[in-house]
Amino acid sequence: QVQVVESGGDLVQAGGSLSLSCTVSGLTFGDYGMGWFRQAPGNEREGVSYISSRGSYIYYGDSVKGRFTVSRDNAKNTLYLQMNSLKPEDTAMYYCAARPDGEFQVSWSRASRYTFWGQGTQVTVSS
């Protein structure tokens, strides 16, 4: 049984930093591309970042470029998202997702391309 578990969400002031983690079990983590998505109330789910299975390809949404950094440790089956210079508009539920196509990264921000999802971790940025 595949399990995807996010952690690290919190309440933080604008300008602050947070580090999210996502631990995956029940699959061969190194075979999966991984994405971070977020969804605020009333909004569609938005692609935040993507990293391919071996880390060769990394992408970011325009709204987080230069502030967020994605990484992964395949030995620990864990995905990370370092978020700096946080803004109130970054407030959302953050989700981790896995797609079984390795280094193939077409349509990285399309949620339908991902097979397994976590339950999310809440990030709230106060002004």
Side-chain angles (χ1 to χ4, degrees), residues 110-122:
R110 188 172 297 176
S112 61
R113 303 287 297 196
Y114 294 78
T115 306
F116 301 106
W117 290 81
Q119 294 300 307
T121 186
Q122 179 67 40

Side-chain angles (χ1 to χ4, degrees), residues 52-118:
S52 61
S53 59
R54 295 193 298 272
S56 301
Y57 301 96
I58 290 176
Y59 299 104
Y60 297 97
D62 288 341
S63 60
V64 306
K65 280 180 183 175
R67 300 187 297 121
F68 290 11
T69 302
V70 65
S71 61
R72 65 189 294 162
D73 186 336
N74 286 354
K76 295 183 178 179
N77 287 11
T78 302
L79 174 73
Y80 304 97
L81 185 69
Q82 177 65 40
M83 304 187 295
N84 298 328
S85 302
L86 283 162
K87 305 175 181 180
E89 50 263 44
D90 293 320
T91 295
M93 185 72 78
Y94 282 71
Y95 298 92
C96 168
R99 50 188 283 174
D101 47 9
E103 291 279 285
F104 190 70
Q105 79 281 173
V106 169
S107 301
W108 72 268
S109 63
R110 188 172 297 176
S112 61
R113 303 287 297 196
Y114 294 78
T115 306
F116 301 106
W117 290 81

